[in-house]
Amino acid sequence: MAFVSRAASASLLLCWLSFAWESSSALHTKGSLPLDAITFYKVIPKNKFVLVKFDTQYPYGDKQDEFKKLAESSASSEDLLIAEVGISDYGDKLNTELGEKYKLDKDSYPIFYLFQDGDFDNPLAYSGQIKASAIQRWLKSKGIYLGMPGCLQEYDVLAGKFMSTTKELERQALLKQGQDSLAKTKETEKKRAEQYLKIMSKILEQGEEFAANEVVRISKLLEKNKMSDGKKEELQKSLNILASFQKKNSEKEEL
């Protein structure tokens, strides 16, 4: 009986150690840096952009799955660091001071803040859907390059220049530049490149509201959810391209 008891105790110990190891690593997400109340203040000033997810200590579910997609996609950006802060208001009460500093409501987790140039006091709050694609488009609208599905970096840069000027002659010259580059574009990418050029032409004809109206139109189509997965994917790619034609918002948003 003593032998059985020792064996059972050893088994329980191994189970506990396994659980503890899994728990200690539960916060780690590929492409994301876990931060605490000390490293938070050391890491953010060293990066141009840091998107921080504030969440429970051990998040799970659909929203966490979307965050994992977002974190992995950040590999394409040189300026953006994805990070996460796990907050626990029981036991050791981990990182609660950060929750208090930013007046975070735990019922609203996960909460995303974008910190720029080490500014701790004026982060931009994300208030959209917790979908990797939606957050990527929001980041893109803030001037952060992410290699999103359907997008071409050369034409993303061109679109950024196009939207940074309001002079028609300059915009026409940029459209011509894109048209000239089309001949050198890979056959597999020409359809997407042509989509950028079409949007530029429409903006010249109808004004900047064209891009915003297209986003609304396509978003409504996606909400209906009566289409094949392939069609949905194509529409998502169109939204990703349209994100390149949003005015970059440099003003701080209130928390």
Side-chain angles (χ1 to χ4, degrees), residues 187-204:
E187 284 298 324
T188 54
E189 297 178 345
K190 276 191 176 179
K191 183 180 177 182
R192 290 297 166 193
E194 288 169 352
Q195 195 167 350
Y196 284 88
L197 300 177
K198 181 181 178 181
I199 295 169
M200 290 181 187
S201 297
K202 289 291 186 181
I203 289 175
L204 283 169

Side-chain angles (χ1 to χ4, degrees), residues 99-186:
E100 292 167 1
K101 175 178 174 61
Y102 294 107
K103 299 180 174 61
L104 303 178
D105 178 4
K106 66 180 181 180
D107 293 330
S108 298
Y109 289 159
I111 296 172
F112 291 85
Y113 281 167
L114 178 64
F115 295 84
Q116 183 173 353
D117 298 323
D119 186 350
F120 290 107
D121 297 324
N122 300 288
L124 302 182
Y126 174 72
S127 58
Q129 281 187 309
I130 309 300
K131 293 284 186 181
S133 57
I135 299 172
Q136 286 169 333
R137 288 192 288 273
W138 179 74
L139 291 169
K140 199 171 181 181
S141 75
K142 305 305 175 190
I144 301 170
Y145 180 75
L146 283 171
M148 299 169 65
C151 293
L152 303 174
Q153 186 169 6
E154 178 184 354
Y155 283 86
D156 276 342
V157 172
L158 199 64
K161 292 178 180 177
F162 185 90
M163 295 306 293
S164 68
T165 180
T166 55
K167 296 178 180 178
E168 186 170 347
L169 285 177
E170 290 183 4
R171 285 185 165 181
Q172 288 174 344
L174 288 164
L175 173 59
K176 178 67 165 55
Q177 182 182 331
Q179 291 168 336
D180 292 343
S181 297
L182 194 60
K184 297 177 287 185
T185 303
K186 296 177 183 177

Side-chain angles (χ1 to χ4, degrees), residues 200-215:
M200 290 181 187
S201 297
K202 289 291 186 181
I203 289 175
L204 283 169
E205 293 171 10
Q206 302 178 23
E208 292 179 1
E209 62 271 16
F210 169 78
N213 291 339
E214 274 295 279
V215 169

Side-chain angles (χ1 to χ4, degrees), residues 78-89:
E78 295 180 358
D79 295 327
L80 176 68
L81 174 70
I82 301 287
E84 53 191 317
V85 174
I87 298 176
S88 174
D89 58 1

